Amino acid sequence: MRSPEQNIDRILLGSVIILIIIGIWLVFSATIYLADLKYKSAFYYLERHILRSALGLLVMILLIALLDYRKLREYAFLIFGVAVILMVLTLIFGGKRWLKIGPLILQPSEFAKLAMLIYLAHLVEKNRERLGSFKLGFLPLISVVFLVSALTLVQKSFTMSFLIFISGLFLIYFGGARFRHIAIVLIAMVPLGVFAVLLEPYRVKRLLSYFGEGMPYQTMQSLIGLGNGGLFGVGPGHSRQRELFLPLAYNDYIFSILGEEYGFIGALFVLFIFFVIFYRGFKIAESVYDDFGKLLASGITFMIFLTTLVHIGVALGLPATGIPLPFISYGGSSMIANCIAVGILLNISKQTKTLKR
């Protein structure tokens, strides 16, 4: 009989693979018109997405097989330091959010949020007895979150900065921080958030649209697509919004394509798969032996949950910039970073107590 340590959470692994397969088809459907028009090849985006998905799965499998997640403690500061350096290099040498390293083009913020969670999990475990102190425990931890969030915000990625900040705050709170310390930070962030919005005119316009000052074009087209889908959808490959009506239909608004082609029922099925991932992730966090594993598993699961929630919210009209839907949207950095995160989560699942599989 095999011991629990020799097994991974196969339900979690299977759920992620299902989403990746769904994503491959949705990306093909969402890009076939654009790819043929722009590159004279209907398979241009599909080929690249399959390659990135395969690379993500390969990295995930290698992490499951070869990594002992507990070793991440020893390299947590190094991992975090490299991520911060890449973020700084992006500001100096890259574009708004992208950094070119040889043939590779990366979005460092996608990897920085995971690096931050690894480092925070290590710091919380190491300094748990000080966590009740604002100055000695909470402040150093929240400073780590502020650093990564600020670097992301300077790259003009408000929504990603928000995701990083809330994910980091969740991990700190889950680790035992006092609620009043969390409340102080959230209250202090309100004027800072307002200032960040006012700093960029397009953010002000997006926020005003939420209060009825004129719906942005992409939001309107997203809602039209979801409305067209009805209960059962218009059918695979029959989306109208992909035909240059909906910008970034294959990335920031792929949930709209899902809802248009497969309707409410199809969208509900995908949401159910995500729910399974969240449930299994938090079960792993509950069942793992050590605090570092608990913190890291919960942080990764919450990060994926929040990213999914915000992506769907944007498709439904939330006044925020779009972000990729985990495991489904087109995008190499997002796909690989999420596969790394799940690879670590599955590695943690090998070291859990009795976990029903």
Side-chain angles (χ1 to χ4, degrees), residues 146-224:
F146 272 126
L147 174 61
V148 182
S149 298
L151 287 172
T152 307
L153 186 61
V154 174
Q155 294 176 4
K156 299 187 183 299
S157 183
F158 184 85
T159 306
M160 179 66 80
S161 178
F162 168 81
L163 289 174
I164 289 171
F165 180 78
I166 297 299
S167 296
L169 204 61
F170 169 83
L171 192 150
I172 295 171
Y173 180 69
F174 184 83
R178 293 185 177 182
F179 179 77
R180 72 168 179 266
H181 294 163
I182 300 292
I184 289 170
V185 170
L186 289 174
I187 292 170
M189 286 302 297
V190 172
L192 290 175
V194 172
F195 176 74
V197 169
L198 295 177
L199 205 59
E200 297 289 346
Y202 73 91
R203 291 174 187 159
V204 176
K205 184 177 179 181
R206 184 175 288 115
L207 187 61
L208 288 175
S209 71
Y210 187 71
F211 295 100
E213 296 295 324
M215 186 179 294
Y217 174 80
Q218 63 269 30
T219 302
M220 180 178 64
Q221 294 300 327
S222 175
L223 293 175
I224 289 172

Side-chain angles (χ1 to χ4, degrees), residues 14 27 50-51 60 104 107 125 147 151 153 170 173 197-198 204 211 240 242-243 246 263 267 285 292 294 305 321:
V27 166
I50 290 175
L51 179 62
M60 186 192 302
L104 300 176
Q107 186 177 357
E125 181 192 45
L147 174 61
L151 287 172
L153 186 61
F170 169 83
Y173 180 69
V197 169
L198 295 177
V204 176
F211 295 100
R240 292 284 299 171
R242 69 182 180 180
E243 297 176 6
L246 184 59
F292 178 72
K294 288 180 183 294
F305 166 78
T321 52

Side-chain angles (χ1 to χ4, degrees), residues 23-29 31-32 35 41-53 330:
I24 289 172
W25 171 250
L26 282 176
V27 166
F28 179 52
S29 180
T31 60
I32 186 170
S41 170
F43 303 100
Y44 179 86
Y45 291 101
L46 175 65
E47 291 168 352
R48 283 154 180 77
H49 187 64
I50 290 175
L51 179 62
R52 293 163 178 175
S53 299
Y330 181 87

Side-chain angles (χ1 to χ4, degrees), residues 277-290:
I277 291 173
F278 308 147
Y279 175 76
R280 300 306 295 185
F282 283 118
K283 287 294 290 184
I284 290 168
E286 179 186 8
S287 305
V288 71
Y289 290 99
D290 65 304

Side-chain angles (χ1 to χ4, degrees), residues 118-153:
I118 293 171
Y119 189 47
L120 282 177
H122 167 63
L123 290 179
V124 171
E125 181 192 45
K126 184 179 178 181
N127 302 291
R128 189 180 288 274
E129 68 282 358
R130 300 180 183 177
L131 206 54
S133 167
F134 185 85
K135 183 178 179 181
L136 299 178
F138 183 77
L139 193 58
L141 294 173
I142 201 63
S143 297
V144 171
V145 180
F146 272 126
L147 174 61
V148 182
S149 298
L151 287 172
T152 307
L153 186 61

Side-chain angles (χ1 to χ4, degrees), residues 14-26 53 57 327-328:
S15 298
V16 170
I17 291 174
I18 288 172
L19 288 183
I20 290 175
I21 293 171
I22 290 172
I24 289 172
W25 171 250
L26 282 176
S53 299
L57 283 171
F327 312 111
I328 291 181

